[in-house]
Amino acid sequence: MNTISKCFESLRTKRQCALIPFITAGDPDLETTAEALRILDANGADLIELGVPYSDPLADGPVIQAAATKALQRGTRLEQVLEVVQTVSPTLKAPLILFTYYNQILNQGIKQFLAIIAIAGIKGLVVPDLPVEEAGELLKNAADLGIEVILLVAPTSSKQRIQAIARLSSGFIYLVSVTGVTGMRSQLQTRVKDILQEMRQTTNKPIGVGFGISQPEQARQVRDWGADAVIVGSAFVKHLSQNTPEQGLQKIGQLCRELKHAIAPQQLLSPLLTP
């Protein structure tokens, strides 16, 4: 069983930084979502984050919000997303992480929700609107089912709060690189480097950096600052949302290869092939 923790253990042994692409389930359609998961897995993704469409995605920027809205308008629901996961996950090397909001979990009931995503093959869970102070019940029940709950650290988090999140987060810790929502940005805040160094003094758990990363140069910068993982969302979602399914799938495969190439150790680099 390839858990998130085992994935990071393997990558650390090889001194590699993980690449974690994010896509929104159901945009442009669930068939494309299934194929996108396979393509990302085959083109360098170490883990994959799959967003469940939600009507009020507070942490998401305009690109991902628009994708979620379109997916909901097409009738995409959690049950259908998990059917795709259950079909595709046995064929993937990369563990799947579900990104969802807490209301969706509460609507199902915490235990019921965790049970159905575990059966489908989900290995990790990101809940951006769940504060660490209220995460106890979810964390305990998820651990019983082998699901690793990844908690988020914001650039504004206090040292005490970072320590609490680092202690409870499993799989890895998600460091949000900007104050605000997801989205592509031309520059990353150098404050991320300082926060990474501060977090290293608190924990030896893997740290992934996301929000605002869209280009290979940015991914390499985050790796050089000491991140264990680079998380890229809006750039992948935009390719799938603004092209035909065939073009979108080709573009996300190419972007995935470029990003993985950018963060690979120098001795492992080989010429980047284009389709």
Side-chain angles (χ1 to χ4, degrees):
M1 181 185 298
N2 192 18
T3 65
I4 295 168
S5 293
K6 287 181 179 178
C7 180
F8 275 105
E9 287 173 11
S10 175
L11 290 168
R12 276 187 165 179
T13 299
K14 295 179 277 190
R15 298 182 180 274
Q16 292 186 30
C17 180
L19 173 62
I20 309 179
F22 169 99
I23 60 172
T24 299
D27 185 45
D29 52 59
L30 287 168
E31 292 77 13
T32 303
T33 297
E35 188 59 25
L37 294 174
R38 298 186 186 98
I39 286 175
L40 294 172
D41 186 64
N43 284 279
D46 297 292
L47 305 100
I48 303 172
E49 199 174 351
L50 182 63
V52 179
Y54 185 59
S55 58
D56 191 20
L58 300 177
D60 295 324
V63 171
I64 296 177
Q65 283 192 25
T69 298
K70 287 190 290 183
L72 289 171
Q73 289 173 344
R74 294 188 178 98
T76 304
R77 298 295 181 266
L78 175 65
E79 294 77 11
Q80 296 167 310
V81 174
L82 294 179
E83 287 175 6
V84 170
V85 170
Q86 191 160 12
T87 299
V88 176
S89 61
T91 70
L92 306 179
K93 302 184 296 294
L96 291 180
I97 302 166
L98 201 67
F99 181 106
T100 190
Y101 288 85
Y102 200 38
N103 269 351
Q104 292 183 306
I105 298 173
L106 293 177
N107 285 340
Q108 292 276 343
I110 290 176
K111 290 185 177 180
Q112 172 69 9
F113 176 87
L114 291 169
I116 62 174
I117 69 170
I119 290 170
I122 293 294
K123 303 301 181 186
L125 186 60
V126 175
V127 187
D129 59 342
L130 176 65
V132 64
E133 294 84 0
E134 299 177 20
E137 184 179 358
L138 181 66
L139 290 167
K140 179 185 180 303
N141 286 285
D144 291 343
L145 292 170
I147 295 173
E148 296 178 280
V149 179
I150 299 117
L151 300 179
L152 284 74
V153 167
T156 54
S157 296
S158 66
K159 184 176 182 179
Q160 292 75 20
R161 189 172 185 80
I162 290 173
Q163 290 173 342
I165 292 169
R167 184 172 64 253
L168 293 174
S169 189
S170 57
F172 67 97
I173 304 161
Y174 194 135
L175 172 57
V176 176
S177 68
V178 296
T179 304
V181 297
T182 61
M184 297 175 289
R185 291 168 173 84
S186 59
Q187 291 183 319
L188 295 174
Q189 297 179 5
T190 55
R191 170 69 176 142
V192 173
K193 180 180 180 181
D194 298 331
I195 300 173
L196 278 166
Q197 292 174 350
E198 292 170 10
M199 291 176 69
R200 290 295 178 211
Q201 298 172 9
T202 298
T203 181
N204 62 357
K205 290 181 180 178
I207 302 169
V209 177
F211 285 46
I213 303 168
S214 61
Q215 302 166 14
E217 296 78 12
Q218 294 171 324
R220 186 182 298 113
Q221 180 69 81
V222 169
R223 178 207 63 184
D224 291 346
W225 283 342
D228 296 284
V230 175
I231 305 162
V232 180
S234 293
F236 285 103
V237 174
K238 184 176 181 179
H239 282 318
L240 289 171
S241 182
Q242 298 185 4
N243 293 281
T244 66
E246 294 77 13
Q247 292 171 331
L249 291 169
Q250 182 180 19
K251 286 178 180 292
I252 66 166
Q254 181 177 349
L255 176 60
C256 196
R257 290 192 299 274
E258 291 173 351
L259 290 165
K260 186 62 178 178
H261 192 264
I263 62 175
Q266 196 64 34
Q267 65 270 24
L268 296 181
L269 290 178
S270 58
L272 184 61
L273 300 177
T274 56

